[in-house]
Amino acid sequence: MATPENKASRAIKELTLLFEISRKLNENLDLKTVLKPILQMMAEHMDMLRGTLTILNRNSGEIFIEEAYGLLPEELMKGRYRLGEGITGKVIDTGEPAIVPRISHDPFFLNKTGSRTLDKDDIAFICVPIIIGKEIIGALSVDRLFNENVAFEEDVRLLTIIASSISQAVRLRQLAEEELEMVREENSRLHDELRIRHAPQNMIGNSKAIQSIYTAIDKVCRTNITVIVLGESGVGKERVASAIHYQSSRADKPFVTVNCAALPESLIESELFGHEKGAFTGAVALRKGRFEMADEGTIFLDEIGELSLPLQAKLLRVIQEKEFERVGGNKTFKVDVRIIAATNSNLEELVGQGMFREDLYYRLNVFPVAVPPLRERKTDIALLANHFIEKYSKDMAKEISGISSPAMDLLVNYNWPGNIRELENYIERAVLLCTDGVISSKHLPPSLQRNDSYLRTKHGGTFKTMIAAFEREIIEEELKRCCGNMARAARALDMTERVMGLRVARYGIELTSFK
């Protein structure tokens, strides 16, 4: 039985402990900062072997150890429970403290952390809930050696006071953890969306030329080798690069793009490798470069042929040694970055002219992917046009049902020097101008309507044939609206059925194609 002297001594120790905890909490309410020293104080004052603070994540329903005393990091990570699971789960579920005088005698004690030897240790376990108002947000528990002279109820009372003292800090930590969990879930969802959006099968096209691109992406995406994407401006080289990244093992890491032609020579080195504060006039703060931002992910260097020879040497070092220095600094940084380059220049010619390093060319040219120009994949033009019509119709909240046959002929027979980017711009303009639900030739730019390869080859290029082509387009569009009904189409165009029939016969229009 405890003597009055022992009781007085215990009371003094308790008051001292509570005062020190209160002072520590007044210094900082950040649980990450204060919890470890608080558990250390408890260990010294309460002769505890181990102590843990667990928090309930209300979004997932999982209980996890936020901080512990006497546990190894790998043991701490194992301490996860569901509501009602084990002693800790029951305490948080019911809000009632629990005393286990000997954990080796209690079948409900799970020892999830693996820190106790249940068949040898004679350990008592005490756990109390952490409560804010009427809500249970976590639990505080301690291990101590079993002793018949120890009054566990006194330990429960002291732990309850401590739990109440730290409850506000625990609440802040709980809210922070729940928000972090939501951010992680949203981040994971967005990465999944990006992976789906940039999947090779979502690239528009069924031509043989584009099928070979799908095959190349499938072969290279699961490796870490350097890729160079070749092709004219506007063919979709960045789309190929993003498809490779988002199908790779680096998909959940950064995908950083740099257009080497869009930045002046004086800034490109700082953009790629970063700079130290005061490195040059205007460098008022330290800045990380794109390679640092892309660490563990992928960097896409577009228009690589525009880099100066000194920068090519620095890029070669990054490829070979995986290291660089910031502008104005002497500290060497290591990075793990996959490089995908792109160019619309002939790098072999540039090497021959001494404008591109031969050694860099060979390091980049490990796996070349040549993207064909749009004029070499004519069968994909209709698919691309309809894709862009759907996209911009939605953006502009307009109902566009399609594109007329003569307008599509113009698109197919055009040379497309600007490739897919030019086609997208023309369709965006056409959707904006269209007021009758169907894009026709008049909605396309004059450069397409004057296209010699279409008008002169197909119609001879005379004024009469051009008028005839326009008349045919109008009739076909009205027949399409009327599902091939000539009488309805004639009335809509304010002409007789006889004239309509003559025009249909003259132009060889197949009515069955509209039904």
Side-chain angles (χ1 to χ4, degrees):
M1 182 175 290
T3 65
E5 291 80 8
N6 288 339
K7 287 183 179 180
S9 175
R10 180 182 177 106
I12 291 170
K13 288 178 70 176
E14 285 184 3
L15 287 172
T16 303
L17 172 61
L18 293 174
F19 173 75
E20 290 179 1
I21 290 174
S22 176
R23 187 172 62 179
K24 182 60 69 174
L25 288 169
N26 284 334
E27 291 175 4
N28 197 331
L29 259 182
D30 179 20
L31 199 63
K32 277 288 185 187
T33 304
V34 302
L35 191 53
K36 190 178 286 291
I38 287 176
L39 288 173
Q40 182 71 40
M41 295 173 200
M42 290 170 59
E44 294 169 358
H45 285 272
M46 298 178 65
D47 299 321
M48 74 180 193
L49 302 172
R50 281 170 286 271
T52 61
L53 183 138
T54 52
I55 297 178
L56 170 66
N57 185 312
R58 294 169 298 179
N59 296 329
S60 64
E62 187 177 51
I63 300 162
F64 62 94
I65 296 177
E66 173 63 25
E67 190 58 80
Y69 170 83
L71 295 183
L72 297 172
E74 57 270 24
E75 294 173 340
L76 188 147
M77 292 301 296
K78 294 176 185 177
R80 292 184 176 268
Y81 311 85
R82 308 296 299 182
L83 277 174
E85 182 183 18
I87 304 298
T88 301
K90 286 181 180 178
V91 167
I92 295 177
D93 190 32
T94 63
E96 295 294 328
I99 300 171
V100 181
R102 292 181 177 177
I103 59 174
S104 57
H105 294 176
D106 194 316
F108 293 104
F109 190 83
L110 300 180
N111 191 30
K112 277 204 167 187
T113 63
S115 57
R116 297 97 168 173
T117 51
L118 299 183
D119 57 338
K120 296 178 182 178
D121 289 356
D122 212 3
I123 297 170
F125 179 77
I126 304 146
C127 184
V128 300
I130 301 172
I131 302 172
I132 289 267
K134 295 183 179 180
E135 184 183 356
I136 305 158
I137 60 175
L140 183 64
S141 63
V142 299
D143 288 14
R144 60 183 304 165
L145 288 174
F146 173 76
N147 187 332
E148 290 181 350
N149 297 321
V150 172
F152 293 119
E153 289 75 11
E154 290 297 311
D155 286 337
V156 169
R157 180 183 57 78
L158 178 58
L159 285 176
T160 301
I161 295 171
I162 297 172
S164 178
S165 300
I166 65 174
S167 59
Q168 286 294 341
V170 174
R171 165 65 94 195
L172 293 174
R173 189 65 197 165
Q174 180 189 44
L175 293 172
E177 186 64 31
E178 289 171 352
E179 287 178 9
L180 183 60
E181 185 70 25
M182 290 172 68
V183 169
R184 287 195 194 105
E185 290 176 1
E186 179 67 7
N187 192 40
S188 176
R189 184 187 67 78
L190 290 174
H191 274 297
D192 289 342
E193 281 187 8
L194 285 170
R195 188 178 281 109
I196 293 168
R197 186 186 305 167
H198 293 281
Q201 57 267 32
N202 286 334
M203 295 173 67
I204 310 299
N206 289 321
S207 63
K208 268 189 176 182
I210 205 67
Q211 290 293 336
S212 67
I213 301 297
Y214 301 156
T215 303
I217 292 171
D218 188 58
K219 284 180 180 177
V220 79
C221 67
R222 291 174 183 83
T223 71
N224 283 317
I225 66 173
T226 302
V227 177
I228 186 162
V229 187
L230 308 170
E232 297 177 4
S233 179
V235 294
K237 297 189 289 293
E238 185 172 347
R239 188 68 188 265
V240 172
S242 63
I244 292 171
H245 170 75
Y246 286 107
Q247 300 308 304
S248 74
S249 59
R250 298 173 181 258
D252 59 345
K253 302 299 181 183
F255 177 66
V256 177
T257 65
V258 184
N259 188 324
C260 301
L263 294 165
E265 177 70 23
S266 58
L267 293 179
I268 186 69
E269 183 178 0
S270 171
E271 190 69 26
L272 289 175
F273 306 117
H275 63 250
E276 299 290 345
K277 181 179 179 181
F280 50 82
T281 303
V284 295
L286 179 150
R287 181 182 178 185
K288 289 185 177 181
R290 299 296 183 91
F291 272 96
E292 279 183 84
M293 295 177 190
D295 194 23
E296 298 186 344
T298 303
I299 189 166
F300 175 56
L301 302 174
D302 199 6
E303 304 302 346
I304 193 77
E306 300 298 320
L307 287 180
S308 66
L309 288 171
L311 272 175
Q312 290 176 31
K314 294 187 177 184
L315 177 59
L316 180 63
R317 181 188 174 201
V318 176
I319 295 174
Q320 293 184 158
E321 309 297 335
K322 306 290 186 185
E323 62 183 32
F324 64 92
E325 285 89 32
R326 294 186 185 131
V327 176
N330 51 25
K331 180 181 177 182
T332 299
F333 292 89
K334 285 277 189 181
V335 286
D336 171 22
V337 176
R338 188 204 190 143
I339 295 175
I340 302 177
T343 183
N344 61 8
S345 305
N346 187 323
L347 292 185
E348 287 188 30
E349 286 184 5
L350 293 178
V351 169
Q353 296 165 10
M355 297 173 64
F356 201 86
R357 293 179 63 107
E358 187 175 16
D359 47 4
L360 177 59
Y361 169 69
Y362 289 122
R363 291 309 300 257
L364 291 173
N365 202 40
V366 178
F367 192 92
V369 178
V371 184
L374 190 55
R375 61 182 171 275
E376 293 179 10
R377 40 183 294 214
K378 297 278 190 180
T379 55
D380 293 335
I381 290 175
L383 290 172
L384 287 162
N386 286 317
H387 168 74
F388 293 135
I389 289 170
E390 183 179 346
K391 174 184 175 181
Y392 288 109
S393 298
K394 188 175 182 181
D395 288 350
M396 299 180 196
K398 299 182 79 169
E399 291 188 14
I400 308 293
S401 59
I403 185 168
S404 70
S405 298
M408 184 60 76
D409 286 342
L410 287 176
L411 297 180
V412 171
N413 287 281
Y414 184 58
N415 200 41
W416 296 111
N419 292 292
I420 297 171
R421 189 181 297 128
E422 185 181 14
L423 173 61
E424 182 174 3
N425 291 341
Y426 285 173
I427 295 298
E428 183 180 14
R429 174 185 184 274
V431 171
L432 177 65
L433 296 175
C434 184
T435 56
D436 52 6
V438 176
I439 292 174
S440 58
S441 301
K442 64 184 178 183
H443 301 125
L444 297 174
S447 57
L448 268 72
Q449 298 182 47
R450 290 194 302 267
N451 185 23
D452 288 348
S453 65
Y454 174 72
L455 290 174
R456 290 189 181 149
T457 300
K458 192 167 183 178
H459 299 297
T462 65
F463 177 75
K464 186 175 181 180
T465 53
M466 291 169 68
I467 293 295
F470 187 56
E471 182 181 49
R472 173 177 178 163
E473 181 178 352
I474 293 172
I475 291 171
E476 284 183 336
E477 290 312 309
E478 200 56 51
L479 285 170
K480 188 183 293 184
R481 278 199 200 87
C482 298
C483 301
N485 187 315
M486 278 205 309
R488 281 173 55 199
R491 286 195 298 273
L493 294 174
D494 196 22
M495 66 170 66
T496 65
E497 289 184 42
R498 178 177 174 277
V499 171
M500 173 64 79
L502 290 171
R503 297 292 188 276
V504 168
R506 177 190 297 176
Y507 298 127
I509 297 172
E510 293 290 337
L511 294 175
T512 54
S513 64
F514 302 110
K515 294 181 179 179

